[in-house]
């Protein structure tokens, strides 16, 4: 009998947890329910799915998305799997399809792997757009691009050349070998390097730090050991650029090896201030999320269809046009923003 | 000795029948369904409930052999990597011009081979534990997958291949149909056949069953090969759902599977637990996740809920086991004296 | 009597095994050195030792857990949680003394470890399942306390970041702490009653209980110690990389377990030496440091690592078998 008491006690415990969770998010839902009862028309719900949870870039992106959706008086649903996997995103998208959301905005963990589930969503009448890292043209209506990959790739080489006087060995420290964004940018870096003015610059290695601190650090250390004459490290990823800068700082190599690339200002503030990285680039994730939210709204309100030549007003950001790319169409946010000693202070607390 | 273990199964009484863990899981399932349909208006309809199974059943195929493995006091943490490797081999062969059907067969073969290799190492070097062997092969198999495909993804499968992950048989998802059929098969295999009884015997007392003529090695080989084979089936469904594949798919699946098996009431301390429990646990975790997903609970809350659910439920199972423990210990001592 | 014989054999075996492992490391180092002469330079060796310090601290704790036939999969999450809480505290109170920050991390780790210890000893849940559940819970809590944000370098005080870069008696602090813990463990497991009881409990739980060892106390001790070390490692990690993330150390538990296994700790309990574990950690450190140096394709690194671990495990087993057979032969004579 004693055992049954314990069992029931534990059951109550589990139930309380479940109920608590239910209530927590349920309360948000109920307000939506009220409006739909009163107004006779349900609030339009827009969902965004980021790569993984607990990523500051993603949190800010979702913040911008939420701002945009609130402006158009919709409801934003913010989701992200715990690990950056395709499987996790498929599961979340299925859940969103069941909830009959109006639109799904996705920052994809894989270019092709979400195609079947996104096609299912499109077939159910849900508008699908991708943001930050794209899905293939068949499984989206439009992609909201932070900046042209070609510009991102080329500008990093141009900056590096300026920093090291156009001469010397350089290396790239990327995220995982599977990251489609990074791979594309690195392709454009290589193309830019073919120009005659970079004859004296040599790309010696592309290393992968897997976006892990410890691996990025040991890869950076290996680069420094293998190439004693290394002049610059380009890291087009936040964890990589911060880890590389930390290694350079600790080894006291300021000025001898420069670091640049793409990184969050908050993570890089320390190293831009101490001069390890003279400047680096990124776009504003809040603006990017905002633009994605506005695009989603424009699609749902049928102002655009995602076809080439469509134009729409994106609130504070002004007017945007849908343009054609190699695979599908996209909306381009703008050029990457340069962060340097003069402006890092105002941005480091923002994102 | 083995006959004595078999006779360990107690006589039927109604009280004992209702005290089984499986009822607890059914109750849990009912509760989850009730809560889910209250908190989300989108849960309680046929499409949602059936489509939900498509999202969590792919890894559930590995649950069957994992139950057997854990009853035998072993574990296999290489299954996620095995799934990744078989998926990669299938996609690479197809892209190289091999007909899809043959590629699928190759996928199953690779999976079975990976499992067999684990089993072979365990049988050949008895003093190695399964954790060590499968931990090493976990890294090795995924490493091979990376060697084959590097940073590329492979896909462009024929249209009919998407049927595995997305198709329906008369309104019921194909994956659910296959899962139910296999579940019945595995329940019968474990609960009704000699092989099943021997698996329990090995789990209750590996040494005694070896001495009493149970071919422990053969059973181990069989069960680990099955684990590889089921991982390959998981790979087929997963690949079909994604329409393409990469070396990093099915990451950490082993931990999800072990959680399901543990919730199913299988305790690795000595041949206890039923296949049915694990099958129910698959649905408990699956629908819990799906329901919480429908109300858009943040990922970190989901982690905490599942972690606590696992611990609480295992605590309950454990109290059942420890109550019977003195009895078993007495038997064990007896066995020691005999040997 | 036979128990005594066994322990003598094991002692011999342990020594032999460590030489095998040491030989393996030396061989590997020579190969890497031939391919890239930068490997054995003082600068690179310093990097290698610094990067291995945290791993070896954790591996020593895991050794005790494994010796009691347990396992702890939650350490990666514990490491993240305690590192995150320490970093959040430092962000809020920049003047906090670094020692206090370390203390906070250790306390959080100890609490996490004690919860696991309670579940294993009092409630009697299998360690693998209890720690799997807690792994999820702790990881979720890490995201929750941090509000899913990171703590960045500029938000940490210089004194806190100096924990990892400063040196004591000319030795880097990380390495110094690892050495202190190594010496402590060496003394603890070999010279104290409790230390010996851990081995006794692991090699035969039933007879250990009969001989009056309080098994619950030992389980509590090893898991709490593991938790405390994870907490310490968490603070050191955050200080070393000057950043605290929610997903810090995800999957690191498997690396730690691999280091123990390579070092000759048996998952079946009762076997494992401090020096062996240290060598195991060093082997992994050499692989992590050396593979990027020899220009092996990044896509091959994982496969090579897996193959080397498997070979080392099999090598150990075959050596053990041979030694045992020789001992048996000797006994017959």
């Amino acid at each position: 009998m004693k055992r049954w008491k314990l069992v029931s006690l534990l059951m109550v415990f589990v139930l309380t947890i479940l109920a608590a969770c239910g209530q927590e998010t349920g309360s948000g839902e109920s307000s939506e329910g009220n409006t739909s009862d009163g107004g006779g028309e349900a609030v339009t719900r827009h969902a965004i799915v980021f790569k993984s949870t607990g990523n500051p870039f993603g949190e800010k992106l979702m913040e911008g998305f939420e701002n945009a959706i609130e402006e158009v008086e919709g409801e934003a649903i913010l989701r992200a799997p715990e690990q950056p996997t395709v499987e996790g995103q498929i599961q979340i998208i299925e859940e969103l399809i069941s909830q009959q959301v109006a639109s799904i905005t996705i920052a994809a963990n894989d270019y092709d792997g979400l195609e079947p589930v996104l096609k299912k969503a499109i077939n159910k009448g849900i508008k699908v757009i991708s943001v930050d890292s794209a899905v293939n043209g068949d499984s989206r209506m439009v992609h909201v691009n932070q900046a042209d990959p070609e510009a991102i790739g080329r500008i990093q080489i141009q900056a590096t050349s300026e920093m090291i006087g156009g001469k010397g060995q350089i290396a790239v420290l990327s995220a995982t070998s599977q990251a489609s964004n990074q791979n594309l940018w690195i392709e454009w870096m290589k193309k830019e390097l073919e120009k005659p003015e970079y004859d004296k610059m040599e790309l010696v290695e592309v290393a992968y730090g897997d976006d892990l601190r410890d691996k990025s650090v040991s890869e950076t250390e290996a680069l420094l050991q293998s190439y004693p004459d290394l002049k610059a490290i380009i890291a087009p990823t936040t964890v990589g650029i911060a880890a590389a800068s930390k290694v350079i700082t600790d080894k006291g190599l300021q000025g001898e090896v420069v670091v640049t690339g793409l990184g969050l200002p908050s993570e890089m503030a320390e190293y831009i201030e101490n001069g390890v990285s003279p400047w680096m680039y990124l776009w504003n994730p809040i603006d990017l999320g905002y633009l994605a939210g506005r695009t989603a709204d424009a699609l749902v309100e049928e102002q655009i269809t995602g076809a080439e030549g469509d134009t729409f007003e994106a609130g504070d950001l002004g007017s945007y046009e849908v343009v054609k790319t190699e695979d599908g169409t996209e909306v381009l946010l703008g050029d990457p923003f340069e962060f340097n000693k003069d402006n890092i202070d105002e941005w480091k607390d923002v994102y | 000795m083995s006959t004595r273990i078999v006779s360990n199964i107690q006589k039927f009484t109604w009280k004992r029948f209702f005290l089984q863990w499986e009822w607890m899981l059914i109750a849990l399932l009912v509760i989850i369904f009730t809560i889910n349909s209250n908190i989300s208006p989108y849960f309680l309809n046929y499409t949602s409930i059936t489509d939900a199974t498509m999202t969590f059943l792919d890894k559930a195929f590995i649950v069957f052999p994992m139950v057997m493995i854990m009853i035998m006091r072993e574990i296999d943490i290489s299954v996620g990597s095995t799934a990744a490797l078989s998926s990669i081999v299938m996609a690479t062969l197809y892209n190289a011009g091999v007909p899809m059907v043959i590629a699928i067969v190759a996928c199953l073969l690779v999976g079975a081979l990976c499992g067999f290799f684990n089993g072979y190492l365990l049988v050949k070097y008895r003093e190695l534990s399964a954790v060590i062997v499968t931990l090493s092969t976990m890294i090795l198999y995924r490493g091979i997958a990376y060697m084959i495909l590097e940073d590329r993804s492979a896909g462009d499968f024929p249209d009919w291949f998407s049927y595995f992950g997305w198709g329906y048989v008369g309104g019921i998802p194909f994956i659910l149909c296959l899962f139910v059929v296999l579940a019945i098969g595995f329940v019968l295999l474990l609960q009704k056949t000699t092989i099943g009884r021997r698996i329990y015997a090995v789990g209750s007392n590996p040494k005694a069953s070896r001495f009493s003529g149970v071919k422990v090695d053969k059973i181990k080989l069989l069960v680990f090969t099955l684990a590889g084979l089921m991982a390959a089936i998981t790979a087929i469904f997963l690949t079909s759902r994604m329409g393409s594949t990469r070396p990093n798919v099915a990451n950490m699946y082993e931990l999800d599977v072990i959680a399901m098996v543990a919730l199913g009431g299988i305790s690795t301390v000595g041949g206890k637990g039923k296949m049915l429990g694990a099958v129910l646990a698959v649905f408990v975790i699956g629908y819990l996740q799906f329901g919480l997903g429908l109300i858009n609970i943040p990922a970190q809350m989901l982690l905490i809920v599942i972690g606590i659910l696992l611990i609480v439920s295992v605590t309950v199972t454990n109290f059942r086991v420890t109550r019977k423990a003195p009895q078993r210990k007495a038997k064990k001592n007896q066995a020691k004296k005999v040997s | 009597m036979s128990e005594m014989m066994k322990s003598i054999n094991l002692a011999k075996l342990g020594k032999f095994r460590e030489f095998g492992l040491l030989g393996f490391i030396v061989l590997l180092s020579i190969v890497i050195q031939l391919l890239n002469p930068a490997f054995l330079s003082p600068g690179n060796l310093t990097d290698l030792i610094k990067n291995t310090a945290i791993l070896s601290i954790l591996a020593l704790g895991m050794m005790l857990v494994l010796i009691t036939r347990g396992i702890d999969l939650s350490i990666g999450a514990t490491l993240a949680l305690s590192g995150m809480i320490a970093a959040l505290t430092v962000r809020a109170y920049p003047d906090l003394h670094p020692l206090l920050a370390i203390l906070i991390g250790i306390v959080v780790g100890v609490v996490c470890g004690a919860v696991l210890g309670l579940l294993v000893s009092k409630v009697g849940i299998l360690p693998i399942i209890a720690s799997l559940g807690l792994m999820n819970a702790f990881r979720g809590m890490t995201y929750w306390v941090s509000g899913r944000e990171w703590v960045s370098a500029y938000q940490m005080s210089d004194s806190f970041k100096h924990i990892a870069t400063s040196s004591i008696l000319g030795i880097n602090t990380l390495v110094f702490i690892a050495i202190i813990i190594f010496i402590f463990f060496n003394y603890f497991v070999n010279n104290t009653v409790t230390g010996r009881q851990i081995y006794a409990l692991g090699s035969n739980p039933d007879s250990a209980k009969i001989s009056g060892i309080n098994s619950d106390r030992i389980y509590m001790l090893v898991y709490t110690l593991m938790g405390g070390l994870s907490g310490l490692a968490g603070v050191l990690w955050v200080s070393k990389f000057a950043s605290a993330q929610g997903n810090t150390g995800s999957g690191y538990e498997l690396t730690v377990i691999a280091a123990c296994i390579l070092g000759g700790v048996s998952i079946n309990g009762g076997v494992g030496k401090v020096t062996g574990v240290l060598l195991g950690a060093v082997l992994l450190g050499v692989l992590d440091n050396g593979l990027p140096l020899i220009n092996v394709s990044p896509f091959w690194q994982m496969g090579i690592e897996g193959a080397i671990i498997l070979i080392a495990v099999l090598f150990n087993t075959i050596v053990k078998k041979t030694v045992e057979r020789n001992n048996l032969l000797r006994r017959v004579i």
Side-chain angles (χ1 to χ4, degrees):
Chain A
M1 257 4 253
K2 205 176 158 194
R3 177 182 23 165
W4 269 104
K5 267 185 200 156
L6 191 89
V7 169
S8 33
L9 205 77
L10 286 165
M11 283 295 276
V12 170
F13 181 54
V14 175
L15 279 178
T16 336
I17 298 170
L18 283 175
C21 298
Q23 234 155 24
E24 187 179 291
T25 18
S27 59
E29 204 101 343
S30 67
S31 65
E32 177 249 331
N34 287 342
T35 34
S36 68
D37 285 345
E41 199 180 323
V43 173
T44 324
R45 287 170 312 145
H46 300 270
I48 183 166
V49 184
F50 194 69
K51 293 177 186 172
S52 68
T53 193
N55 177 326
F57 182 85
E59 298 297 324
K60 291 297 166 187
L61 184 80
M62 293 199 277
E63 189 186 312
F65 182 82
E66 199 173 11
N67 292 344
I69 298 301
E70 273 168 7
E71 274 180 26
V72 298
E73 287 168 352
E75 187 197 338
I77 296 173
L78 316 176
R79 297 292 303 269
E82 200 260 319
Q83 297 278 334
T85 61
V86 185
E87 297 94 309
Q89 290 192 322
I90 292 181
Q91 193 169 350
I92 289 176
I93 294 170
E94 285 268 16
E95 288 159 7
L96 293 172
I97 294 174
S98 291
Q99 295 177 53
Q100 299 155 11
V101 294
S103 77
I104 295 175
T105 302
I106 179 135
N109 284 327
D110 188 73
Y111 190 68
D112 293 314
L114 291 161
E115 185 176 331
V117 74
L118 289 177
K119 274 187 172 162
K120 178 178 174 182
I122 292 173
N123 286 337
K124 300 238 167 176
I126 298 172
K127 311 290 178 196
V128 174
I129 64 175
S130 58
V131 65
D132 181 46
S133 73
V135 292
N136 63 32
D138 292 337
S139 40
R140 68 176 200 233
M141 290 167 170
V142 64
H143 173 60
V144 178
N145 206 344
Q146 54 271 60
D148 184 15
E150 181 175 349
I152 298 174
R154 291 193 189 276
I155 202 169
Q156 290 181 68
I157 293 295
Q158 288 154 9
T160 312
S161 169
E162 199 181 326
M163 286 174 196
I164 63 174
K167 210 168 80 178
Q169 293 180 326
I170 59 171
V172 172
L173 176 68
S174 184
T176 69
S177 53
Q178 312 282 310
S180 47
N181 264 355
Q182 269 83 7
N183 289 343
L184 191 59
W185 298 331
I186 294 170
E187 282 309 307
W188 281 112
M189 288 184 207
K190 286 179 180 164
K191 275 187 194 145
E192 175 76 10
L193 271 175
E194 285 165 8
K195 287 188 181 169
E197 64 246 52
Y198 305 117
D199 271 351
K200 289 183 181 154
M201 273 165 66
E202 183 198 359
L203 176 63
V204 286
E205 195 173 327
V206 178
Y208 297 92
D210 290 353
D211 267 350
L212 297 171
R213 295 274 166 185
D214 47 342
K215 183 131 194 281
S216 301
V217 163
S218 45
E219 291 289 343
T220 310
E221 286 168 353
L223 287 175
L224 294 174
Q225 295 294 345
S226 303
Y227 310 101
D229 296 328
L230 196 70
K231 288 282 176 259
I233 295 174
I234 306 174
T237 167
T238 291
V239 173
I241 191 172
S245 305
K246 173 77 178 148
V247 172
I248 305 288
T249 310
D250 286 354
K251 288 185 178 291
L253 291 173
Q254 281 103 320
E256 289 174 47
V257 183
V258 294
V259 179
T260 190
L262 309 171
L264 282 170
S266 56
E267 279 286 300
M268 283 301 288
E270 171 105 355
Y271 312 111
I272 287 181
E273 275 161 12
N274 76 11
V276 166
S277 174
W279 70 87
M280 54 124 201
Y281 299 91
L282 199 69
W283 36 88
N284 187 330
I286 304 173
D287 284 351
L288 183 61
Y290 183 85
L291 180 59
R294 282 292 182 159
T295 315
D297 178 62
L299 273 170
V300 171
E301 298 297 324
E302 295 181 344
Q303 294 164 2
I304 59 169
T305 57
E308 188 186 357
D310 284 355
T311 53
F312 65 102
E313 286 297 318
D316 303 340
L317 292 175
S319 172
Y320 279 87
E321 188 184 350
V322 179
V323 295
K324 197 161 173 51
T325 61
E326 282 167 43
D327 186 14
T329 57
E330 69 174 25
V331 178
L332 200 61
L333 177 69
D335 287 327
F337 188 76
E338 182 186 310
F339 293 97
N340 52 37
K341 266 188 189 151
D342 301 327
N343 64 12
I344 193 75
D345 261 348
E346 49 184 301
W347 288 107
K348 68 182 181 188
D349 294 321
V350 184
Y351 60 91
Chain B
M1 190 62 210
S2 83
T3 50
R4 223 193 293 175
I5 288 164
V6 174
S7 68
N8 208 3
I9 297 162
Q10 289 118 337
K11 273 186 203 130
F12 180 87
T13 65
W14 280 106
K15 194 182 158 198
R16 193 162 286 135
F17 177 70
F18 279 109
L19 275 179
Q20 288 182 85
W21 178 242
E22 285 71 28
W23 285 108
M24 178 81 159
L25 288 169
I26 290 175
L28 213 57
L29 206 54
V30 171
I31 293 167
I32 288 172
F33 261 70
T34 323
I35 294 182
N36 279 357
S37 22
N38 277 325
I39 56 177
S40 171
Y42 308 104
F43 181 75
L44 207 61
N45 66 63
Y46 181 76
T47 332
S48 280
I49 290 174
T50 50
D51 276 17
T53 59
M54 288 174 155
T55 67
F56 61 77
L57 278 186
D58 59 350
K59 60 189 88 165
F61 290 99
I62 311 176
V63 165
F64 305 129
M66 191 66 92
V67 166
M68 300 180 180
I69 289 177
M70 284 175 69
I71 285 175
M72 289 173 72
R73 304 187 185 192
E74 306 279 359
I75 201 152
D76 185 349
I77 49 180
S78 70
V79 283
S81 299
T82 305
L85 181 57
S86 2
S87 166
I88 295 298
V89 168
M90 174 172 67
T92 313
L93 283 181
Y94 176 69
N95 287 0
V98 176
M100 194 62 209
V101 179
I102 296 177
I104 291 177
V105 172
C107 168
L108 296 173
L109 274 179
V110 168
L113 199 68
C114 287
F116 180 82
F117 185 60
N118 285 336
Y120 172 79
L121 287 178
L122 283 174
V123 168
K124 177 100 199 265
Y125 305 101
R126 269 185 211 153
E127 53 286 329
L128 281 182
S129 82
V131 179
I132 305 182
V133 169
T134 56
L135 181 76
S136 323
T137 52
M138 175 181 86
I139 304 172
L140 182 67
Y141 294 161
R142 197 173 290 280
I144 297 173
Y146 270 102
M147 287 181 191
I148 296 174
L149 213 52
E150 305 201 331
D151 59 350
R152 297 185 302 270
S153 77
D156 283 326
F157 298 110
D159 286 342
W160 60 264
F161 182 65
S162 69
Y163 182 80
F164 284 102
W166 300 94
Y168 295 87
V169 182
I172 305 165
F174 173 68
I175 191 170
L176 181 59
C177 296
L178 186 71
F179 183 78
V180 170
V181 170
L182 281 179
I184 293 171
F186 272 99
V187 167
L188 292 178
L189 176 69
L190 188 60
Q191 251 71 54
K192 299 286 173 209
T193 65
T194 329
I195 293 177
R197 277 196 292 280
R198 284 185 178 156
I199 288 173
Y200 280 108
V202 174
S204 304
N205 196 334
K207 270 197 188 133
S209 39
R210 198 181 282 276
F211 287 134
S212 64
V214 176
K215 294 197 173 79
V216 179
D217 289 353
K218 264 194 183 164
I219 291 181
K220 238 186 219 174
L221 265 182
L222 173 80
V223 171
F224 273 90
T225 311
L226 265 179
L229 189 67
M230 288 296 145
I233 290 185
T234 293
I236 293 175
F237 281 102
L238 183 65
T239 315
S240 164
R241 282 188 68 77
M242 298 193 299
S244 70
T245 186
R246 277 178 178 280
N248 59 358
V249 297
N251 201 13
M252 304 287 241
Y253 265 29
E254 50 280 348
L255 296 186
D256 292 343
V257 169
I258 292 169
M260 286 170 181
V261 175
L263 180 64
I266 283 81
S267 101
T268 56
V269 281
K272 283 261 176 311
K274 289 203 183 109
M275 189 61 83
L276 185 64
V279 172
L280 287 169
V282 167
F283 289 96
V284 168
I285 292 190
Y287 279 114
L288 176 70
Q289 258 181 2
F290 184 70
L292 294 177
L294 282 186
I295 57 164
N296 301 311
I297 183 176
Q300 70 268 22
M301 286 304 291
L302 192 68
L303 276 183
I304 297 178
V305 171
I306 296 209
I308 291 177
L309 177 79
L310 186 65
I311 287 171
V312 169
S313 59
V314 173
T315 310
V316 178
T317 349
N318 224 75
F319 274 98
R320 295 181 327 132
V321 172
T322 40
R323 224 189 79 126
K324 288 174 193 160
Q327 213 180 330
R328 223 182 42 236
K329 216 173 263 169
K331 258 186 196 150
K332 224 191 253 172
N333 289 340
Q334 230 171 333
K336 239 172 238 158
K337 264 174 217 159
V338 172
S339 67
Chain C
M1 189 61 200
S2 71
E3 198 69 62
M4 241 176 77
M5 279 297 286
K6 206 176 150 194
S7 69
I8 291 168
N9 284 346
L10 282 177
K12 266 187 197 162
L13 186 77
K15 249 182 208 155
F16 190 81
R17 250 198 198 171
E18 276 146 42
F19 278 125
L21 195 57
L22 194 62
F24 198 81
I25 294 173
V26 170
L27 205 70
L28 197 66
S29 304
I30 291 173
V31 173
I32 298 172
Q33 174 69 12
L34 287 177
L35 291 168
N36 187 341
F39 178 67
L40 288 181
S41 66
N44 189 54
L45 286 181
T46 323
D47 289 345
L48 196 161
I49 294 168
K50 260 195 261 178
N51 292 342
T52 317
I54 292 177
L55 176 62
S56 55
I57 292 173
L58 290 170
L60 287 172
M62 186 62 86
M63 179 189 82
L64 294 189
V65 174
L66 292 175
I67 284 174
T68 63
R69 305 188 173 196
I71 199 162
D72 187 348
L73 297 177
S74 71
I75 58 169
T78 307
L79 184 149
L81 182 61
S82 41
M84 182 56 85
I85 290 180
L88 289 171
T89 320
V90 169
R91 187 176 72 179
Y93 307 101
D95 298 332
L96 194 76
H97 196 275
L99 277 178
L100 268 177
I102 293 184
L103 196 67
I104 290 170
I106 294 178
V107 169
V108 174
V110 163
V111 172
C112 293
V115 172
L116 178 59
L118 270 178
L119 288 176
V120 170
S121 65
K122 298 288 179 210
V123 187
I125 305 182
L126 276 183
I128 190 166
I129 290 157
S131 59
L132 186 64
L134 286 183
M135 174 180 97
N136 279 329
F138 292 158
R139 181 68 65 187
M141 281 162 72
T142 311
Y143 289 123
W144 183 58
V145 295
S146 64
R148 283 173 288 167
E149 308 238 325
W150 294 357
V151 181
S152 301
Y154 82 95
Q155 290 162 322
M156 296 173 190
S157 60
D158 282 341
S159 59
F160 181 71
K161 280 177 288 194
H162 277 156
I163 299 175
T165 49
S166 61
S167 40
I168 300 173
L169 306 175
I171 307 167
N172 175 280
T173 309
L174 289 185
V175 182
F176 187 80
I177 293 176
I179 291 174
I180 296 284
I181 289 174
F182 171 74
I183 293 171
F184 166 76
F185 263 75
N186 208 6
Y187 174 79
F188 175 66
V189 298
N190 292 324
N191 301 61
T192 65
V193 177
T194 318
R196 297 319 299 170
Q197 283 179 345
I198 295 174
Y199 281 87
L201 186 65
S203 45
N204 196 334
D206 289 339
S207 58
K209 267 176 220 162
I210 292 164
S211 60
I213 293 175
N214 184 345
S215 59
D216 283 0
R217 196 180 70 92
I218 301 280
Y219 287 134
M220 271 309 281
L221 178 78
V222 295
Y223 286 101
T224 314
L225 203 59
M226 178 79 257
L229 290 176
S230 315
L232 172 67
V235 182
L236 298 181
W237 182 292
V238 170
S239 166
K240 179 169 196 283
F241 299 114
S243 179
Q245 295 173 226
N247 62 352
T248 295
S250 180
Y252 204 62
E253 53 276 352
L254 294 180
T255 314
V256 173
I257 294 169
C260 288
I261 290 169
L262 283 173
V265 181
S266 159
I267 298 269
N268 299 330
V271 184
K273 287 189 74 177
V274 176
T275 38
V277 169
L278 200 66
L279 287 174
V282 170
L283 176 55
L284 285 183
V286 169
L287 281 179
D288 278 347
N289 178 285
L291 287 185
L293 278 179
I294 56 175
N295 246 335
V296 53
S297 150
F299 311 106
W300 283 64
Q301 282 186 16
M302 195 180 199
I304 292 175
E305 215 175 302
I308 288 181
I309 292 175
L310 191 61
I311 290 168
V313 164
L314 292 180
F315 181 75
N316 260 351
T317 317
I318 293 164
V319 166
K320 186 179 161 192
K321 262 190 174 171
T322 326
V323 172
E324 266 170 6
R325 198 180 303 134
N326 286 346
N327 281 340
L328 279 178
L329 283 177
R330 211 173 297 143
R331 218 189 299 173
V332 171
I333 294 162

